[in-house]
Amino acid sequence: MRAGRALFPALAEAAETYLDSASTTQKPLPVIESVDRYHRSRTANAGRGGYGWATVLDREIESVRARTARFVGARPEEVVFTSGATAALNAIALAWGLSELADGDEILYSPHDHSANVYPWLRLRDVLARFGRRVRLIPYRVTALGEADAADIAARITPRTRLITVCHLHHVFGAVSTLQQLRARVDPAILWCFDCSQSGGHLPLDVTELGADFAVLSAHKMFGAPGTGVLYCARRVHERLTTFLPGGSSGVAVTDSGLRPTGMPHQLEGGTHNIPGILALGAALEVLEEFGMSAIAEHNRLLTRQLIEGLRPLPGLRLLPGPAHADREIGYGIVSFALDGIGATDLGFVLAESGFLVRTGAHCVPARDAGADSVRVSTHVYTTGDDIDRFVRCVATIASEVR
C-alpha cells in the first residue's frame, strides 16, 4: 500500500520509520483538514443553538454517529461518543455496574489485558464495597498464543457471573480473541464486553457477530484524533444503564423523584462533545473504508509474517505469545519480542537512534509477567515490506553485537 503513504503528511516529513501504530496511528490529510476546518470556519457548539452554524454541526455529528454504527455493524442509537476507550470502559462500570451489580456478583477479566480494561473494574469493586456490595473480580488465563483461554473462562463461570470482559485484539501479543464457541454455551443473561481499541481500524469489525453487549474503540488508533472514543451499547442493555455524567444535553429529565434518563445515546454524553474529534473520526472512517478493512487486514497479516520470519532465526531473540507461535498463517500487525543481553528500554533507544520508532516496556499491562520489558512492533497501511526488511537487519546487527 505504498501509494497510501502520500495521505500521511508526517511520514513525508520524517526520516524515521514509524513502527508504533498500536500506540497511535499517523493521521491522514482528510483528518487533519477536518479538524482545521472546524476551527477555521463556522466554529460553534453543536446542538446548543438554533442558528445555522450550530444546527449544521449537530447534523454532521449525527452523520458521523450513523457512519460509525455502519462501520461496526450497530445502530446509531447504540453508539456513544466518549473521550477515548479508557473513558468508554469506565462509562460501562459507572453507567451499568454501579446500579446493576449486587453483593456477591462476579466479573471475569484478564490481568494480562491493557490496564484500561482492568483498573475500571478494580475501582468499581472498591466503590461498591463502601456501600456493602462485595463484587468479586475473577481473573482468567491466556493461552500460549496470547488468546483469552476459553476453557479457563468456562471453568470460572458461576451463577453469579454478570460480565465477561475480553480484549478483542491484544495490544502486546497481537492475538485475536472472539470466544465464539464459548459464547454459544454461556447463559445469555451474562453480558460480554470487548475492548476493540486495537482491532478497530485494523480488522473488519462487527459487534453483532462478536456477540458484544459493550464494545469500545479508540479513534486515535484508527487514523482519528486523540481525545475521542466510541462506546457501543447493545439495545438490550439500554434500560439497564443510568446517567453517570449529568449535565448539559445529557439526555435526562428532572422529575419529582430525581433524574430520569430520556434515551440513548445522549444519556451517556453529558457536556460538550469533542466536536473536532468527532468530525475527525468521520474523516478517518472514510479513509479506512476507501482502503477497505479486508485489504488493511491482509496487508498487516503479510507484514506480520514477514517480520516474524525475519526475527525468528536471530540468536538470543524471544518472540512473545502471539501469531509467531500459531500453527497457521495469521498475523494482525503486532509482534512483541525480547533480546538477550539488552533490556527493552535500551534496545528501543538504540533502534530509535537507527531511525526505527517502536514501543518498549510493560505496555500498560498490570500483570508483571505479561510482556514486561519487551519491544513491540506494530504496522499499518503506511508500513512497507522494505521497512520490515530494514528493521530486521538492524535488530540482527544489534543481536550480534550484544552477544
Side-chain angles (χ1 to χ4, degrees), residues 107-119:
I107 294 175
L108 271 59
Y109 80 106
S110 170
H112 297 86
D113 283 354
H114 194 285
S115 57
N117 197 24
V118 176
Y119 293 162

Side-chain angles (χ1 to χ4, degrees), residues 87-357:
L89 287 160
N90 276 275
I92 299 168
L94 296 172
W96 169 78
L98 278 183
S99 59
E100 282 285 308
L101 294 177
D103 189 51
D105 284 348
E106 298 171 350
I107 294 175
L108 271 59
Y109 80 106
S110 170
H112 297 86
D113 283 354
H114 194 285
S115 57
N117 197 24
V118 176
Y119 293 162
W121 314 115
L122 296 175
R123 178 61 176 162
L124 175 63
R125 179 195 62 187
D126 294 347
V127 170
L128 289 174
R130 297 183 181 185
F131 297 92
R133 286 183 281 167
R134 290 170 175 79
V135 172
R136 297 184 64 210
L137 299 184
I138 311 297
Y140 59 81
R141 296 192 297 262
V142 295
T143 70
L145 295 181
E147 300 168 350
D149 190 327
D152 190 53
I153 292 174
R156 296 176 186 274
I157 294 174
T158 75
R160 298 307 299 270
T161 302
R162 297 292 178 260
L163 177 77
I164 302 172
T165 185
V166 184
C167 179
H168 186 211
L169 173 57
H170 199 276
H171 70 294
V172 180
F173 303 142
V176 166
S177 298
T178 64
L179 300 174
Q180 184 173 4
Q181 294 182 341
L182 175 61
R183 294 198 318 268
R185 306 197 308 269
V186 169
D187 183 347
I190 296 175
L191 303 183
W192 290 85
C193 172
F194 282 87
D195 178 1
C196 300
S197 300
Q198 297 295 343
S199 53
H202 294 77
L203 302 173
L205 177 62
D206 189 312
V207 291
T208 303
E209 291 183 3
L210 201 55
D213 293 290
F214 301 109
V216 306
L217 297 95
S218 178
H220 76 93
K221 297 179 187 293
M222 46 196 294
F223 295 168
T228 309
V230 173
L231 166 59
Y232 162 77
C233 299
R235 181 65 188 84
R236 77 166 185 146
V237 302
H238 285 190
E239 301 304 319
R240 300 163 65 180
L241 301 176
T242 59
T243 300
F244 74 98
L245 193 65
S249 298
S250 56
V252 296
V254 179
T255 67
D256 292 339
S257 58
L259 295 179
R260 177 180 58 83
T262 57
M264 288 286 285
H266 301 291
Q267 73 183 61
L268 300 187
E269 291 183 349
T272 299
H273 287 109
N274 177 359
I275 299 171
I278 294 172
L279 298 177
L281 173 61
L285 294 177
E286 185 173 354
V287 173
L288 288 168
E289 290 165 352
E290 288 176 354
F291 278 110
M293 291 312 306
S294 294
I296 292 173
E298 177 63 8
H299 176 76
N300 281 324
R301 186 190 72 81
L302 293 174
L303 292 179
T304 303
R305 301 314 307 178
Q306 181 182 348
L307 178 60
I308 289 171
E309 295 311 313
L311 294 176
R312 196 191 301 277
L314 301 185
L317 190 140
R318 175 173 55 87
L319 290 160
L320 267 59
H325 303 278
D327 58 2
R328 58 195 188 281
E329 290 285 322
I330 59 173
Y332 308 100
I334 297 175
V335 175
S336 299
F337 67 91
L339 184 63
D340 292 344
I342 184 171
T345 300
D346 290 337
L347 179 53
F349 177 79
V350 175
L351 288 168
E353 288 292 297
S354 301
F356 297 99
L357 310 182

Side-chain angles (χ1 to χ4, degrees), residues 61-84:
I61 287 176
E62 293 310 311
S63 177
V64 175
R65 192 190 306 278
R67 184 169 210 143
T68 304
R70 292 193 300 271
F71 187 80
V72 300
R75 292 175 287 191
E77 65 270 20
E78 296 174 318
V79 172
V80 177
F81 293 126
T82 70
S83 64

